[in-house]
Amino acid sequence: MTSSTPDFTPIDPPRRGEMLPPTVFWRIAEAIPQRLTWILIALSIVVPLILWAVVSHMVQNPLFFPTPSQTLEALSRLWREGVLKTDILYSLFRVLSGFLLAAIISIPLGTLMGTFASLQALFEPIIGIIRYMPAPAFIPLLILYFGLGEAPKILLIFIGTLFFNTLMIMDAVKFVPKELIETTYTLGGRRPQVLFQVIFPYIIPNIIDACRVNMAASWNLVIVAELVAANEGLGKRISIAQRFLRTDEIFAGLIVIGLIGLSIDLLFRLLLRMSCRWSVNQ
């Protein structure tokens, strides 16, 4: 009668040169579990807040480094006074106005430049030159030509967004498979059909991504414009706080700017998921 003893045969360790299977955290180009995603998101917010609280209590100088509670109190005070609401509305109006003007021009222009090599040769050199000029450098000219009203602030955002958006959309057209274009011609399609029914629908996800990236630049530029010449806006509020040494209000303004920017970014991501599910699921 044989005894049924368990097999305790040891597992050989991996030989030299053999690769260990990657952990869930270090997977390359693969999704991670949803639970781990939420844990990492929470850590990315909680850890900086803890560090902020620890450093601020070590410094113990609100003028130099306010605590989170002092910043929250300043944020609440500005909101109750109504100035924060007004500043947010003015900044959003300027950003959306300048960005929409740039999008109206950059989307068709970038699509046409990517489609037709002749238009690319015509417009790319001058766009390439202007896009390397820092947009804030145009502020003196804009103030000289348009005064201190809303026009120079909106045009600054327009200038800082237009050229980058155009070139990013132009580059997206280059990734349209030539097989799709050739098949369209084979099936009797004409040039307008190739442009509007093949190329443009294919690059819509890239257009949304380009707009999402360049919206961040627009949001940064409006703060620069308001720091220089404005009576309202989040940039102006930070400038006033700096003048009167209200560091807690500076921190509050920066937090509001970051939260609004994150909200806009999430809206673009939602738009991409809703309008281009075929692209998100690939």
Side-chain angles (χ1 to χ4, degrees), residues 240-260:
I240 294 174
Q242 182 267 337
R243 191 181 310 161
F244 292 98
L245 300 178
R246 297 172 183 170
T247 315
D248 53 351
E249 293 186 5
I250 296 176
F251 272 65
L254 291 174
I255 290 173
V256 171
I257 291 170
L259 290 176
I260 294 176

Side-chain angles (χ1 to χ4, degrees), residues 5 15 38 50 68 92 94 125 133 135 155 177 190 248 256 264:
T5 57
R15 299 174 183 175
W38 287 111
I50 294 175
L92 281 175
R94 291 160 183 160
M133 299 178 184
L155 288 175
R190 297 179 179 273
D248 53 351
V256 171
I264 294 174

Side-chain angles (χ1 to χ4, degrees), residues 164-242:
F164 287 96
N165 219 38
T166 300
L167 293 181
M168 289 179 68
I169 294 172
M170 180 194 73
D171 288 336
V173 178
K174 298 177 182 178
F175 292 95
V176 177
K178 291 186 178 180
E179 293 80 3
L180 291 178
I181 299 175
E182 293 172 355
T183 302
T184 306
Y185 281 129
T186 302
L187 295 176
R190 297 179 179 273
R191 191 173 300 156
Q193 291 175 310
V194 173
L195 179 60
F196 292 108
Q197 298 182 20
V198 177
I199 294 177
F200 189 75
Y202 190 91
I203 65 170
I204 286 178
N206 303 90
I207 291 175
I208 296 175
D209 270 337
C211 292
R212 181 174 67 87
V213 171
N214 290 303
M215 173 60 81
S218 300
W219 192 240
N220 291 331
L221 286 171
V222 73
I223 304 303
V224 174
E226 291 170 350
L227 285 171
V228 175
N231 294 321
E232 302 89 1
L234 293 171
K236 185 63 176 181
R237 189 59 45 199
I238 291 175
S239 178
I240 294 174
Q242 182 267 337

Side-chain angles (χ1 to χ4, degrees), residues 18-274:
E18 290 184 355
M19 295 183 63
L20 293 172
T23 62
V24 174
F25 190 90
W26 297 109
R27 288 177 179 174
I28 297 178
E30 292 185 17
I32 60 175
Q34 192 69 21
R35 181 182 177 185
L36 178 59
T37 300
W38 287 111
I39 291 174
L40 295 176
I41 291 174
L43 287 175
S44 70
I45 299 174
V46 172
V47 172
L49 287 176
I50 294 175
L51 292 176
W52 178 12
V54 171
V55 173
S56 60
H57 282 90
M58 290 174 60
V59 175
Q60 293 185 348
N61 186 353
L63 182 62
F64 180 72
F65 205 83
T67 63
S69 60
Q70 291 168 339
T71 302
L72 185 61
E73 182 181 351
L75 186 62
S76 176
R77 182 178 67 253
L78 292 173
W79 184 264
R80 290 195 307 270
E81 293 174 355
V83 294
L84 188 58
K85 301 175 187 177
T86 303
D87 292 335
I88 291 174
L89 289 176
Y90 269 92
S91 295
L92 281 175
F93 167 74
R94 291 160 183 160
V95 169
L96 294 178
S97 299
F99 183 83
L100 287 176
L101 285 175
I104 290 172
I105 296 176
S106 63
I107 292 175
L109 179 59
T111 304
L112 291 173
M113 287 174 61
T115 304
F116 301 104
S118 55
L119 293 180
Q120 180 179 349
L122 178 62
F123 290 107
E124 188 176 17
I126 186 61
I127 291 177
I129 293 173
I130 298 177
R131 78 183 177 108
Y132 279 105
M133 299 178 184
F138 288 90
I139 292 177
L141 289 176
L142 293 175
I143 293 176
L144 178 64
Y145 296 152
F146 300 99
L148 297 175
E150 294 299 317
K153 303 175 187 64
I154 294 173
L155 288 175
L156 177 66
I157 297 168
F158 171 80
I159 293 171
T161 308
L162 173 66
F163 306 107
F164 287 96
N165 219 38
T166 300
L167 293 181
M168 289 179 68
I169 294 172
M170 180 194 73
D171 288 336
V173 178
K174 298 177 182 178
F175 292 95
V176 177
K178 291 186 178 180
E179 293 80 3
L180 291 178
I181 299 175
E182 293 172 355
T183 302
T184 306
Y185 281 129
T186 302
L187 295 176
R190 297 179 179 273
R191 191 173 300 156
Q193 291 175 310
V194 173
L195 179 60
F196 292 108
Q197 298 182 20
V198 177
I199 294 177
F200 189 75
Y202 190 91
I203 65 170
I204 286 178
N206 303 90
I207 291 175
I208 296 175
D209 270 337
C211 292
R212 181 174 67 87
V213 171
N214 290 303
M215 173 60 81
S218 300
W219 192 240
N220 291 331
L221 286 171
V222 73
I223 304 303
V224 174
E226 291 170 350
L227 285 171
V228 175
N231 294 321
E232 302 89 1
L234 293 171
K236 185 63 176 181
R237 189 59 45 199
I238 291 175
S239 178
I240 294 174
Q242 182 267 337
R243 191 181 310 161
F244 292 98
L245 300 178
R246 297 172 183 170
T247 315
D248 53 351
E249 293 186 5
I250 296 176
F251 272 65
L254 291 174
I255 290 173
V256 171
I257 291 170
L259 290 176
I260 294 176
L262 176 62
S263 301
I264 294 174
D265 189 82
L266 292 177
L267 286 175
F268 271 106
R269 291 175 182 267
L270 179 62
L271 175 62
L272 181 62
R273 286 184 173 273
M274 293 178 61

